[in-house]
Amino acid sequence: MKDSEAFRAAVRARVVTMLNSDASPYEPALEVLGLASGGMPVDHGDEACHSLALIWGELTDWFELRPAETDQSKAHMITAAREWVAVEGGQEAEALYFDRWLHDILGFERRSAPPQVQERS
């Protein structure tokens, strides 16, 4: 991938395939993970590259590592895909999507802001 726009178009194509198919979402999810984790040499400041790698890495790991929860993991993949299509391209909407998926759904710890040093007068 040469740029953020091409990366996003490739991700969108995989996500749309996932949503328009009756097949398992796992294979297209792996493709999104591959694009996000290795298909983009430079992210040009696009948070989507890093955040999508984390989200789809967790979702595919869930599918692979907890076979008793396959139906749940597949449902989450479809939901994540559907929501991505709805927010992709809107900076604020994407930020909310990443925050919700990474922290509220997948349980990544939120980083607190570094302490502010106050200057003495």
Side-chain angles (χ1 to χ4, degrees), residues 24 30 43 48-50 59 67 85-86 90 92 96 100 103 107-108 111:
S24 171
L30 278 178
D43 69 9
C49 189
H50 175 72
L59 292 174
V85 169
E92 287 182 36
L96 291 171
R100 182 171 162 275
H103 306 295
F108 283 86
R111 293 183 191 170

Side-chain angles (χ1 to χ4, degrees), residues 8 12 46 48 83-94 98:
R8 286 170 169 274
R12 183 178 250 293
D46 189 344
E83 290 178 6
W84 177 249
V85 169
V87 303
E88 194 264 328
Q91 188 174 6
E92 287 182 36
E94 285 184 14
F98 294 139

Side-chain angles (χ1 to χ4, degrees), residues 7 45 52 62 66-67 92 102 106:
F7 164 73
L52 289 173
W62 184 4
R66 293 183 265 172
E92 287 182 36
L102 290 171
L106 298 173

Side-chain angles (χ1 to χ4, degrees), residues 18-114:
M18 190 183 310
L19 295 174
N20 291 334
S21 174
D22 290 333
S24 171
Y26 176 71
E27 290 300 324
L30 278 178
E31 292 174 8
V32 172
L33 173 59
L35 288 166
S37 63
M40 179 92 173
V42 178
D43 69 9
H44 299 287
D46 189 344
E47 181 185 351
C49 189
H50 175 72
S51 296
L52 289 173
L54 292 173
I55 291 168
W56 291 99
E58 285 296 310
L59 292 174
T60 54
D61 282 354
W62 184 4
F63 180 92
E64 294 165 359
L65 301 174
R66 293 183 265 172
E69 299 174 11
T70 298
D71 289 341
Q72 290 173 301
S73 65
K74 290 193 298 189
H76 272 72
M77 288 178 194
I78 295 297
T79 301
R82 187 176 297 116
E83 290 178 6
W84 177 249
V85 169
V87 303
E88 194 264 328
Q91 188 174 6
E92 287 182 36
E94 285 184 14
L96 291 171
Y97 171 89
F98 294 139
D99 183 72
R100 182 171 162 275
W101 275 95
L102 290 171
H103 306 295
D104 298 338
I105 296 173
L106 298 173
F108 283 86
E109 185 176 331
R110 280 187 171 84
R111 293 183 191 170
S112 59

